[in-house]
Amino acid sequence: AETVRSSAESLQSLLNDILDFSKIEAGKLDLEIIDFDLQALLDDFAGTIAFSGHDKGLELFFWLEPGVPTKLKGDPSRLRQILTNLVGNAIKFTHVGEVAVCVSLEKETEQEALLRFVVRDTGIGVAKDKVGLLFDKFTQADASTTRKYGGVGLGLAITKQLAELMGGQVGIESEEGVGSEFWFTTRLGKQVQGAQ
């Protein structure tokens, strides 16, 4: 039963990634613009992802820097999808140590804020010659990664395109055997009461 459940979840994840990627490629993915609370989103996300980290004995840290506006306008479900991809990967490729998520303010105006999200881990890292390929579709670091960890290499490609749709960018700094730091920026509107 556990094998069936795990296989079904893997298949569902794969289908969702392919559908999202197809929508993005076809220019049919529309972002929702609604009011949301960033602190509440992070608290809820931390609660759901904590089980995965706990099962592996990892420490998870979430840090919202002072001064980051929390009353925002944008697409919280797509923001959560990016975090799920990056933090999920960090947990998957980290066997000991920690995964940390930090949110900081890059710049802001009265109407919007450019936020920077950093996902740092103490995992296996990525070889320097493979770093540039990670955000390409259907690409993973090497064949052994696919065999050992699964996946089809769409998560980071979708993450890149979603971040760009939200007015931001993505990047990575990594050292093999030491860990990785994935980051993305996103441009979000501010509610009238944006500060907390």
Side-chain angles (χ1 to χ4, degrees):
E2 180 62 26
T3 302
V4 170
R5 185 195 63 78
S6 176
S7 297
E9 286 179 356
S10 295
L11 183 58
Q12 182 182 18
S13 176
L14 172 64
L15 289 173
N16 286 340
D17 281 352
I18 290 171
L19 288 170
D20 280 343
F21 194 79
S22 298
K23 284 182 192 173
I24 293 169
E25 290 280 286
K28 299 292 185 188
L29 185 73
D30 296 321
L31 294 177
E32 189 176 31
I33 306 298
I34 61 172
D35 289 352
F36 72 98
D37 186 306
L38 180 62
Q39 182 70 61
L41 183 146
L42 288 175
D43 287 346
D44 182 59
F45 177 72
T48 56
I49 204 80
F51 296 105
S52 301
H54 184 266
D55 286 346
K56 294 184 74 174
L58 302 176
E59 290 194 72
L60 298 180
F61 298 96
F62 286 80
W63 173 249
L64 190 63
E65 287 191 357
V68 173
T70 57
K71 305 295 187 188
L72 300 167
K73 291 175 177 282
D75 193 328
S77 64
R78 294 303 177 181
L79 180 57
R80 188 183 177 106
Q81 184 177 359
I82 295 174
L83 286 169
T84 300
N85 280 337
L86 294 182
V87 178
N89 274 357
I91 291 171
K92 185 196 307 189
F93 296 112
T94 302
H95 303 296
V96 84
E98 65 186 45
V99 174
V101 180
C102 179
V103 187
S104 60
L105 178 65
E106 291 263 295
K107 57 182 162 180
E108 69 177 328
T109 65
E110 285 186 21
Q111 288 79 35
E112 63 179 24
L114 181 66
L115 301 185
R116 180 182 181 90
F117 293 76
V118 175
V119 178
R120 186 179 302 111
D121 66 59
T122 56
I124 62 174
V126 181
K128 290 199 186 314
D129 60 329
K130 304 290 185 185
V131 166
L133 304 173
L134 285 182
F135 293 100
D136 294 344
K137 56 190 173 211
F138 302 112
T139 300
Q140 290 188 317
D142 57 44
S144 66
T145 301
T146 306
R147 278 194 311 275
K148 186 171 181 181
Y149 296 100
V152 292
L154 274 179
L156 290 178
I158 291 169
T159 292
K160 179 178 188 289
Q161 293 189 321
L162 285 176
E164 289 172 352
L165 276 173
M166 295 166 70
Q169 299 175 313
V170 295
I172 175 180
E173 294 174 19
S174 186
E175 186 175 342
E176 200 168 8
V178 175
S180 301
E181 181 176 297
F182 284 87
W183 60 267
F184 71 95
T185 55
T186 180
R187 199 173 297 279
L188 297 162
K190 289 163 60 177
Q191 296 175 35
V192 177
Q193 298 298 323
Q196 179 172 326

